[in-house]
PDB file of all heavy atoms in Angstrom:
ATOM      1  N   LEU A 838     -31.976 -27.152  44.462  1.00 62.00           N
ATOM      2  CA  LEU A 838     -31.364 -26.036  45.173  1.00 62.00           C
ATOM      3  C   LEU A 838     -30.924 -26.441  46.577  1.00 62.00           C
ATOM      4  O   LEU A 838     -29.872 -26.029  47.057  1.00 62.00           O
ATOM      5  CB  LEU A 838     -32.348 -24.863  45.244  1.00 62.00           C
ATOM      6  CG  LEU A 838     -32.621 -24.132  43.931  1.00 62.00           C
ATOM      7  CD1 LEU A 838     -33.746 -23.122  44.104  1.00 62.00           C
ATOM      8  CD2 LEU A 838     -31.359 -23.428  43.447  1.00 62.00           C
ATOM      9  N   MET A 849     -17.840 -25.111  52.170  1.00 60.00           N
ATOM     10  CA  MET A 849     -17.458 -24.025  53.074  1.00 60.00           C
ATOM     11  C   MET A 849     -16.819 -24.573  54.343  1.00 60.00           C
ATOM     12  O   MET A 849     -15.852 -24.001  54.864  1.00 60.00           O
ATOM     13  CB  MET A 849     -18.691 -23.174  53.419  1.00 60.00           C
ATOM     14  CG  MET A 849     -19.183 -22.334  52.258  1.00 60.00           C
ATOM     15  SD  MET A 849     -20.637 -21.345  52.686  1.00 60.00           S
ATOM     16  CE  MET A 849     -19.926 -20.199  53.849  1.00 60.00           C
ATOM     17  N   VAL A 869       8.107 -20.783  66.307  1.00 67.00           N
ATOM     18  CA  VAL A 869       9.369 -21.507  66.160  1.00 67.00           C
ATOM     19  C   VAL A 869      10.495 -20.534  65.820  1.00 67.00           C
ATOM     20  O   VAL A 869      11.614 -20.641  66.316  1.00 67.00           O
ATOM     21  CB  VAL A 869       9.253 -22.604  65.090  1.00 67.00           C
ATOM     22  CG1 VAL A 869      10.625 -23.144  64.702  1.00 67.00           C
ATOM     23  CG2 VAL A 869       8.375 -23.739  65.599  1.00 67.00           C
ATOM     24  N   ARG A 895      30.232 -21.843  76.952  1.00 80.00           N
ATOM     25  CA  ARG A 895      29.117 -21.041  77.470  1.00 80.00           C
ATOM     26  C   ARG A 895      28.057 -20.854  76.390  1.00 80.00           C
ATOM     27  O   ARG A 895      26.860 -20.978  76.660  1.00 80.00           O
ATOM     28  CB  ARG A 895      29.620 -19.666  77.944  1.00 80.00           C
ATOM     29  CG  ARG A 895      30.449 -19.712  79.223  1.00 80.00           C
ATOM     30  CD  ARG A 895      30.565 -18.321  79.834  1.00 80.00           C
ATOM     31  NE  ARG A 895      31.146 -17.358  78.917  1.00 80.00           N
ATOM     32  CZ  ARG A 895      32.446 -17.138  78.773  1.00 80.00           C
ATOM     33  NH1 ARG A 895      33.319 -17.827  79.515  1.00 80.00           N
ATOM     34  NH2 ARG A 895      32.897 -16.235  77.926  1.00 80.00           N
ATOM     35  N   CYS A 928       2.460 -28.986  82.969  1.00 85.00           N
ATOM     36  CA  CYS A 928       3.524 -28.838  83.965  1.00 85.00           C
ATOM     37  C   CYS A 928       2.964 -28.086  85.172  1.00 85.00           C
ATOM     38  O   CYS A 928       2.118 -27.214  85.019  1.00 85.00           O
ATOM     39  CB  CYS A 928       4.701 -28.070  83.383  1.00 85.00           C
ATOM     40  SG  CYS A 928       5.604 -28.980  82.117  1.00 85.00           S
ATOM     41  N   PRO A 929       3.441 -28.389  86.374  1.00 92.00           N
ATOM     42  CA  PRO A 929       2.946 -27.671  87.564  1.00 92.00           C
ATOM     43  C   PRO A 929       3.358 -26.207  87.524  1.00 92.00           C
ATOM     44  O   PRO A 929       4.426 -25.871  87.004  1.00 92.00           O
ATOM     45  CB  PRO A 929       3.615 -28.413  88.728  1.00 92.00           C
ATOM     46  CG  PRO A 929       4.802 -29.093  88.129  1.00 92.00           C
ATOM     47  CD  PRO A 929       4.422 -29.428  86.721  1.00 92.00           C
ATOM     48  N   SER A 938      12.327 -15.025  84.387  1.00 93.00           N
ATOM     49  CA  SER A 938      13.775 -15.172  84.240  1.00 93.00           C
ATOM     50  C   SER A 938      14.106 -16.059  83.042  1.00 93.00           C
ATOM     51  O   SER A 938      15.017 -15.752  82.258  1.00 93.00           O
ATOM     52  CB  SER A 938      14.375 -15.753  85.526  1.00 93.00           C
ATOM     53  OG  SER A 938      15.766 -15.949  85.377  1.00 93.00           O
ATOM     54  N   SER A 955      12.169  -5.190  85.971  1.00 95.00           N
ATOM     55  CA  SER A 955      11.128  -6.130  86.414  1.00 95.00           C
ATOM     56  C   SER A 955      10.881  -5.960  87.903  1.00 95.00           C
ATOM     57  O   SER A 955      11.821  -5.829  88.700  1.00 95.00           O
ATOM     58  CB  SER A 955      11.533  -7.573  86.105  1.00 95.00           C
ATOM     59  OG  SER A 955      12.718  -7.928  86.779  1.00 95.00           O
ATOM     60  N   ARG A 968       5.002 -23.131  80.782  1.00 88.00           N
ATOM     61  CA  ARG A 968       5.422 -23.011  79.382  1.00 88.00           C
ATOM     62  C   ARG A 968       4.529 -22.018  78.643  1.00 88.00           C
ATOM     63  O   ARG A 968       5.004 -21.227  77.833  1.00 88.00           O
ATOM     64  CB  ARG A 968       5.383 -24.383  78.698  1.00 88.00           C
ATOM     65  CG  ARG A 968       6.302 -25.421  79.319  1.00 88.00           C
ATOM     66  CD  ARG A 968       5.999 -26.803  78.795  1.00 88.00           C
ATOM     67  NE  ARG A 968       4.610 -27.185  79.025  1.00 88.00           N
ATOM     68  CZ  ARG A 968       4.096 -28.358  78.646  1.00 88.00           C
ATOM     69  NH1 ARG A 968       4.853 -29.253  78.044  1.00 88.00           N
ATOM     70  NH2 ARG A 968       2.832 -28.641  78.888  1.00 88.00           N
ATOM     71  N   THR A 973       3.906 -16.562  76.430  1.00 92.00           N
ATOM     72  CA  THR A 973       3.155 -15.306  76.407  1.00 92.00           C
ATOM     73  C   THR A 973       4.061 -14.133  76.750  1.00 92.00           C
ATOM     74  O   THR A 973       4.054 -13.099  76.060  1.00 92.00           O
ATOM     75  CB  THR A 973       1.982 -15.382  77.398  1.00 92.00           C
ATOM     76  OG1 THR A 973       1.103 -16.444  77.013  1.00 92.00           O
ATOM     77  CG2 THR A 973       1.208 -14.067  77.426  1.00 92.00           C
ATOM     78  N   GLU A1013       1.866  -7.031  84.115  1.00 97.00           N
ATOM     79  CA  GLU A1013       1.810  -5.964  83.114  1.00 97.00           C
ATOM     80  C   GLU A1013       3.166  -5.799  82.439  1.00 97.00           C
ATOM     81  O   GLU A1013       4.202  -5.818  83.105  1.00 97.00           O
ATOM     82  CB  GLU A1013       1.381  -4.636  83.754  1.00 97.00           C
ATOM     83  CG  GLU A1013      -0.053  -4.662  84.267  1.00 97.00           C
ATOM     84  CD  GLU A1013      -0.501  -3.320  84.815  1.00 97.00           C
ATOM     85  OE1 GLU A1013       0.381  -2.484  85.129  1.00 97.00           O
ATOM     86  OE2 GLU A1013      -1.713  -3.108  84.938  1.00 97.00           O
ATOM     87  N   THR A1015       4.927  -3.045  80.003  1.00 95.00           N
ATOM     88  CA  THR A1015       4.741  -1.672  79.529  1.00 95.00           C
ATOM     89  C   THR A1015       5.987  -1.195  78.800  1.00 95.00           C
ATOM     90  O   THR A1015       7.108  -1.422  79.261  1.00 95.00           O
ATOM     91  CB  THR A1015       4.460  -0.730  80.716  1.00 95.00           C
ATOM     92  OG1 THR A1015       3.369  -1.250  81.485  1.00 95.00           O
ATOM     93  CG2 THR A1015       4.115   0.677  80.230  1.00 95.00           C
ATOM     94  N   ALA A1025      -7.095   1.457  67.622  1.00 71.00           N
ATOM     95  CA  ALA A1025      -6.769   0.047  67.841  1.00 71.00           C
ATOM     96  C   ALA A1025      -7.406  -0.424  69.139  1.00 71.00           C
ATOM     97  O   ALA A1025      -7.399   0.287  70.143  1.00 71.00           O
ATOM     98  CB  ALA A1025      -5.261  -0.154  67.883  1.00 71.00           C
ATOM     99  N   GLY A1049       1.446 -10.816  62.956  1.00 53.00           N
ATOM    100  CA  GLY A1049       0.173 -10.629  63.625  1.00 53.00           C
ATOM    101  C   GLY A1049      -0.365 -11.893  64.256  1.00 53.00           C
ATOM    102  O   GLY A1049      -1.575 -12.069  64.358  1.00 53.00           O
ATOM    103  N   LEU A1058      -3.606 -18.813  74.736  1.00 86.00           N
ATOM    104  CA  LEU A1058      -2.934 -19.473  75.856  1.00 86.00           C
ATOM    105  C   LEU A1058      -3.496 -19.002  77.193  1.00 86.00           C
ATOM    106  O   LEU A1058      -3.752 -19.804  78.088  1.00 86.00           O
ATOM    107  CB  LEU A1058      -1.432 -19.199  75.793  1.00 86.00           C
ATOM    108  CG  LEU A1058      -0.642 -19.918  74.690  1.00 86.00           C
ATOM    109  CD1 LEU A1058       0.780 -19.369  74.627  1.00 86.00           C
ATOM    110  CD2 LEU A1058      -0.627 -21.414  74.914  1.00 86.00           C
ATOM    111  N   GLY A1088      -1.500 -24.720  99.014  1.00 60.00           N
ATOM    112  CA  GLY A1088      -1.556 -26.165  99.157  1.00 60.00           C
ATOM    113  C   GLY A1088      -1.699 -26.914  97.866  1.00 60.00           C
ATOM    114  O   GLY A1088      -1.617 -28.155  97.844  1.00 60.00           O
TER     115      GLY A1088
END
Side-chain angles (χ1 to χ4, degrees):
L838 289 172
M849 289 180 68
V869 167
R895 289 196 303 273
C928 291
S938 178
S955 61
R968 299 168 303 180
T973 299
E1013 294 184 341
T1015 307
L1058 288 171

